[in-house]
C-alpha cells in the first residue's frame, strides 16, 4: 500500500527525498520548513511548504509517515527526538537492496544506491545517490554516505559519521562515531570517533571532543 509522507525540510536534500518518494508511488501532501520565507513555495512542483516543524505535529496522525530530509547529521538527530510521530523509510525505486537488508525508521535510501546482502542501515541515516554498501555492513543512526561512495564488505560506519562524495572504504574498516571523511578519500585504516580524515590513503587531520555535534546544534554537553 502506498504510504503518505510528511517531509521535514525544503532544501536541496528534501527535493531529492520528495522526488524519490513520489517516484515510488508515495503521497507527499506537503513539507515543513522553519524558514518562514519558504512558506507556500514548492521545492518540488505540487508539494508546498505548509508550515514549520511546529505545524507538523498538529498535522500528523497515526498512519502517516515522517522523514527528516535535512542533510546535517546533528540537526537530524536533534529533531528526531522532539516529536512522538512515526518515521518511515524513504526508498527510491531505483535503489537495489539485497536479501536480509534492513533500514531503521527515517532512513533515506536514494536513487541508484545499492545495499548488498545482510547490511543494516540505521535510523535517519542517508544513503545518497549511487552509493554502494557491500555485504554485512553496518551504517549507524544519523550517518550520511554521500553520493558515489563505495564501502567494501563488513564496514562499520558509526553513528552520525559523514562520508564525503566518492569516499572509498576497504573491507572491514570502522569509521568512528560523528567522524567526517573528506570527499574522494580512500580509507585503509580505522578512523577513530570524532575525527576528520582526508586523502589517499586517508589520514586523520583533526580530532574533536566527544559531543562536539551536540554543541554545534545548540545542545548541551553529552
Ligand atoms: O550534496 C548533496 C547531494 N546534497 C546536499 C545535502 C546532503 O545537504 C545538499 O546539496 C545540501 O548541501 C544539503 O541539503 P539540505 O540539508 O537540504 O540543505 P539546505 O538547502 O540548507 O536546506 C536545509 C533546510 O532545512 C533549510 O530550508 C532550513 O530552513 C531547514 N531547517 C533548518 N532547521 C529546518 C530546521 N526545517 C525544519 N522544519 N526544522 C528545523 O529545525
Amino acid at each position: 500500500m502506498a504510504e503518505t509522507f510528511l517531509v521535514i525540510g525544503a532544501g536541496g536534500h528534501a527535493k531529492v527525498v520528495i522526488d524519490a518518494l513520489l517516484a515510488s508511488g508515495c503521497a507527499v501532501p506537503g513539507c515543513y520548513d522553519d524558514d518562514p520565507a519558504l512558506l507556500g513555495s514548492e521545492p518540488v512542483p505540487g508539494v508546498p511548504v505548509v508550515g514549520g516543524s511546529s505545524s507538523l505535529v498538529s498535522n500528523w496522525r497515526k498512519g502517516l509517515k515522517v522523514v527528516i530530509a535535512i542533510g546535517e547529521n546533528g540537526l537530524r538527530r536533534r529533531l528526531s527526538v522532539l516529536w512522538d510521530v512515526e518515521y518511515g523509510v524513504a526508498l527510491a525505486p531505483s535503489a537495489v537492496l539485497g536479501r536480509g537488508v534492513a533500514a531503521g525508521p527515517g532512513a533515506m535510501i536514494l536513487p541508484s544506491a545499492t545495499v548488498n546482502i545482510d547490511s543494516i542501515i540505521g535510523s535517519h541515516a542517508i544513503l545518497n545517490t549511487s552509493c554502494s554498501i557491500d555485504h554485512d555492513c553496518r551504517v549507524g543512526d544519523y550517518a550520511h554516505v554521500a553520493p558515489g561512495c563505495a564501502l567494501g564488505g563488513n564496514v562499520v560506519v558509526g553513528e552520525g559519521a559523514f562520508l564525503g562524495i566518492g569516499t572509498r572504504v576497504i573491507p572491514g574498516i570502522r569509521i568512528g562515531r560523528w567522524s567526517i571523511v573528506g570527499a574522494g578519500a580512500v580509507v585503509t585504516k580505522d578512523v577513530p570517533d570524532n575525527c576528520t580524515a582526508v586523502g589517499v590513503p586517508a589520514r586523520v587531520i583533526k580530532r574533536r571532543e566527544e559531543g562536539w555535534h551536540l554543541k554545534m546544534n545548540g545542545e548541551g554537553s553529552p
Side-chain angles (χ1 to χ4, degrees):
M1 177 189 79
E3 305 270 21
T4 297
F5 275 78
L6 306 183
V7 173
I8 298 177
H13 186 62
K15 286 177 65 173
V16 174
V17 172
I18 292 168
D19 193 31
L21 288 169
L22 295 175
S24 60
C26 293
V28 185
C31 54
Y32 297 79
D33 197 294
D34 279 7
D35 179 352
L38 295 179
L39 188 62
S41 66
E42 296 186 358
V44 174
V47 181
V49 178
V50 295
S53 299
S54 54
S55 53
L56 169 93
V57 182
S58 52
N59 289 358
W60 182 80
R61 64 183 184 285
K62 196 155 180 55
L64 296 180
K65 296 290 193 296
V66 177
V67 64
I68 305 173
I70 295 176
E72 210 285 305
N73 294 346
L75 179 51
R76 275 200 321 284
R77 179 202 160 278
R78 179 169 68 81
L79 295 176
S80 72
V81 299
L82 292 182
W83 309 298
D84 182 17
V85 297
E86 198 175 340
Y87 290 101
V89 175
L91 178 63
S94 58
V96 177
L97 304 186
R99 289 178 175 78
V101 169
M108 294 158 269
I109 303 178
L110 297 175
S112 302
T114 296
V115 188
N116 277 346
I117 187 165
D118 292 339
S119 284
I120 307 298
I121 310 305
S123 305
H124 306 287
I126 300 172
L127 300 188
N128 220 319
T129 313
S130 297
C131 70
S132 72
I133 312 291
D134 223 293
H135 65 87
D136 301 296
C137 287
R138 297 289 179 272
V139 177
D141 295 352
Y142 313 110
H144 176 189
V145 179
C149 289
L151 278 55
N154 294 296
V155 168
V156 175
V157 177
E159 176 192 294
F162 173 60
L163 275 60
I165 284 190
T167 296
R168 272 68 181 122
V169 184
I170 68 170
I173 290 291
R174 179 184 181 274
I175 309 289
R177 295 169 52 259
W178 299 99
S179 281
I180 296 167
V181 177
V186 174
V187 184
T188 59
K189 289 181 185 166
D190 286 359
V191 176
D193 295 348
N194 303 302
C195 289
T196 295
V198 301
V200 180
R203 294 273 184 267
V204 172
I205 61 165
K206 186 177 179 73
R207 296 176 187 271
R208 296 180 182 84
E209 62 181 3
E210 179 65 31
W212 66 273
H213 62 284
L214 299 172
K215 291 182 179 165
M216 204 183 94
N217 278 285
E219 299 179 76
S221 51

